[in-house]
Amino acid sequence: MASKIKPIKSVSLVEQVEQRILEFLKENRFKSGDSLPKEIELAENLGVSRNIVRESLSRLRMLGVVESKKRKGMIIAEPDILSGIERIMDPDLLGEEAMQHIFELRLVLEVGMSELLFIRKKDSDINNLQEIVEREANDPLCKTDLKTRLAYEIEFHSYLYKMSGNGTLNRFQSMLLPVFHYMMQQESKAAAKPVRGTISHKDLVETLRVGTAYEFRENMRNHLTPHFNKLS
C-alpha cells in the first residue's frame, strides 16, 4: 500500500522571518550583548515590511533570545534556559505522566550531585543541615504525621541544592517543588504511615562530614529507595 502524501505545513510570513533571523544569528556567531542590524536593514535584506520584522523580533523577545537596550537598540540576550519551563511547571497544567517524569528527574539529580557537594561543602553548611536534623528528631509529629515529615524532607533536600553553589540547579529545584508536593501528596493517600529508607537525614549529614562523595551517593540512593521502588 502506497504511503500517504504528507500535508504541507502552513507557516506564516512572521514565522519564516523569525526563523531566518535565528539562522542569521547562528551563522554569524552572534553572542550575548551583540547588537542586531536595524529593523530597516533586516527588512530590506529579507524583502519584507518593517512591521513583519518588528513582529518577528517581538516573538524572539518573548522567547528571551533578544532584548531592547537604550542607545544600543535590539541586542542578543543572555539565554535564560529555564524561563519557558518555569511558566508551565504547575501540577494543574501537567499530566500525570509528565509529573512522574519530572519527579524521576529530581531523584536522578539528588543522587548525582554528590561530587559537587563535596567540592563546595563548608562547615557552616554541615552545621545548618545538622540544625535541620535536630529539629526533625525532636519533633514528635515526624513519627505520625506525613505532612510534617515532608516539610522537613523538603527543607533538608532544598538546602542540599543551595549547598551545591550552582544557581541553575538551585533554581530548577525550586521549580520542581510544586510537582514534588503533588507527587508526595499522592503517595500520602496510599500510605498508612510515613515510609522511610534505611538511611536517615542524620546519616547523610554524617557522611557529608566525614565520608566520601561515593559514600554519599550510595547513601542518598538508599535514602530515596522508597521512591525508586515505585518506578516501573
Side-chain angles (χ1 to χ4, degrees):
M1 182 178 179
S3 60
K4 295 182 179 179
I5 299 176
K6 295 181 179 179
I8 297 174
K9 293 182 178 180
S10 177
V11 180
S12 70
L13 184 57
V14 170
E15 290 175 302
Q16 292 180 55
V17 170
E18 176 188 348
Q19 186 60 39
R20 290 287 180 85
I21 293 175
L22 282 173
E23 291 171 357
F24 169 76
L25 297 177
K26 292 177 182 177
E27 289 170 359
N28 290 276
R29 300 179 181 273
F30 275 72
K31 297 179 180 179
S32 175
D34 289 348
S35 297
L36 271 70
K38 303 295 184 183
E39 280 184 7
I40 188 169
E41 184 180 345
L42 289 171
E44 289 175 352
N45 288 332
L46 291 165
V48 297
S49 70
R50 290 182 65 179
N51 285 338
I52 293 295
V53 170
R54 189 174 297 119
E55 188 174 347
S56 299
L57 291 174
S58 177
R59 289 164 61 100
L60 292 175
R61 187 188 298 114
M62 290 178 63
L63 292 172
V65 176
V66 300
E67 61 181 338
S68 298
K69 288 287 186 180
K70 288 183 179 180
R71 301 186 185 89
K72 292 190 69 175
M74 199 71 73
I75 67 170
I76 302 297
E78 182 73 34
D80 186 347
I81 59 175
L82 297 179
S83 61
I85 302 174
E86 202 166 25
R87 296 191 187 100
I88 63 167
M89 196 65 77
D90 186 329
D92 292 331
L93 300 176
L94 300 171
E96 290 282 345
E97 184 177 13
M99 286 190 287
Q100 179 63 39
H101 289 169
I102 293 168
F103 189 74
E104 291 171 7
L105 177 59
R106 175 246 172 179
L107 300 180
V108 172
L109 287 175
E110 295 200 9
V111 172
M113 66 181 179
S114 58
E115 296 287 348
L116 201 55
L117 293 178
F118 271 77
I119 290 172
R120 295 178 177 167
K121 67 176 181 176
K122 301 174 183 177
D123 290 341
S124 58
D125 292 324
I126 305 298
N127 292 336
N128 288 334
L129 286 170
Q130 184 63 42
E131 189 270 333
I132 296 172
V133 166
E134 290 175 358
R135 281 193 286 109
E136 181 181 15
N138 293 323
D139 191 335
L141 287 178
C142 278
K143 297 180 180 180
T144 58
D145 184 62
L146 184 59
K147 289 184 179 179
T148 300
R149 184 178 71 80
L150 292 182
Y152 285 110
E153 186 82 11
I154 290 170
E155 183 180 5
F156 183 89
H157 289 266
S158 294
Y159 195 88
L160 291 178
Y161 282 88
K162 179 181 178 180
M163 184 177 161
S164 74
N166 184 296
T168 300
L169 192 59
N170 195 33
R171 182 180 167 198
F172 192 61
Q173 185 270 342
S174 297
M175 292 164 51
L176 292 178
L177 283 180
V179 175
F180 177 73
H181 276 287
Y182 177 84
M183 296 301 295
M184 297 306 289
Q185 287 172 2
Q186 295 301 104
E187 286 190 12
S188 70
K189 294 176 182 179
K193 60 180 180 179
V195 179
R196 295 176 181 271
T198 58
I199 296 294
S200 67
H201 289 157
K202 180 180 179 181
D203 298 323
L204 290 174
V205 172
E206 189 62 20
T207 307
L208 278 169
R209 194 191 309 276
V210 299
T212 65
Y214 175 79
E215 289 170 338
F216 184 83
R217 183 167 58 250
E218 292 299 301
N219 284 346
M220 178 60 78
R221 176 62 176 80
N222 187 301
H223 177 70
L224 297 172
T225 292
H227 303 306
F228 276 103
N229 286 345
K230 292 181 173 64
L231 305 185
S232 58

